[in-house]
Amino acid sequence: MIHRTGLIVLLLVALVAGCGTGAAVYNFGVVVHGGAGRTEEVRLTPGQRFSLAMDENASAGDSWRMGDLPDVKVASFISEELRAAEDGGAGEVRYFVFNAKYPGTVTIVLSNCRRCPAGQMSAAELSRRASGEATFRITVA
């Protein structure tokens, strides 16, 4: 009975230490910053980790989201991470982390709608200017 209890404790410790879901990513790889209304071209080699980074300020109503997942043969999605901005400002940076897999090209679209009711565009001019889509064209060669 003592051996079984010890085994259960070891399994629980392993889960808490990050072997379970929700473990944070610490290696963002090649970081590509995007912005609303911009298209970024990214060239990678197979096996490279990369992150699509978007400045976000939740108190201002920002909320960047990813549309459809790209073809997993070209770029496999790892996680979505939110970190404090490195410049010490009030905002944060949302990272969408991927691994480049096999040669090919995919397009990843991230969208933001600042202070938009029920997913619709807001009538406020400031909200319309800050809302939009960021496009990343990823080529693995």
Side-chain angles (χ1 to χ4, degrees):
M1 185 66 173
I2 292 174
H3 293 293
R4 183 181 302 170
T5 303
L7 181 58
I8 291 171
V9 169
L10 284 175
L11 287 173
L12 288 173
V13 168
L15 285 173
V16 171
C19 294
T21 59
V25 170
Y26 296 103
N27 176 7
F28 291 112
V30 175
V31 177
V32 181
H33 288 271
R38 292 184 6 213
T39 298
E40 302 294 335
E41 301 283 339
V42 184
R43 295 191 61 79
L44 303 159
T45 58
Q48 273 189 295
R49 179 170 286 191
F50 67 98
S51 297
L52 309 179
M54 302 300 298
D55 292 333
E56 184 171 302
N57 188 339
S59 64
D62 282 337
S63 181
W64 285 96
R65 298 289 172 241
M66 181 171 45
D68 294 334
L69 289 174
D71 181 353
V72 296
K73 295 176 194 163
V74 178
S76 62
F77 179 66
I78 297 173
S79 72
E80 181 179 323
E81 306 287 332
L82 188 63
R83 296 287 196 280
E86 292 182 10
D87 63 5
E92 298 170 306
V93 178
R94 186 170 300 273
Y95 297 90
F96 297 86
V97 186
F98 297 85
N99 269 337
K101 300 299 267 184
Y102 297 102
T105 300
V106 294
T107 299
I108 301 171
V109 177
L110 305 178
S111 59
N112 181 31
C113 186
R114 182 175 281 184
R115 297 188 185 201
C116 294
Q120 300 174 351
M121 290 301 288
S122 173
E125 179 63 26
L126 179 60
S127 179
R128 282 199 308 271
R129 284 195 313 251
S131 300
E133 293 183 338
T135 304
F136 298 85
R137 190 165 298 116
I138 311 298
T139 300
V140 179

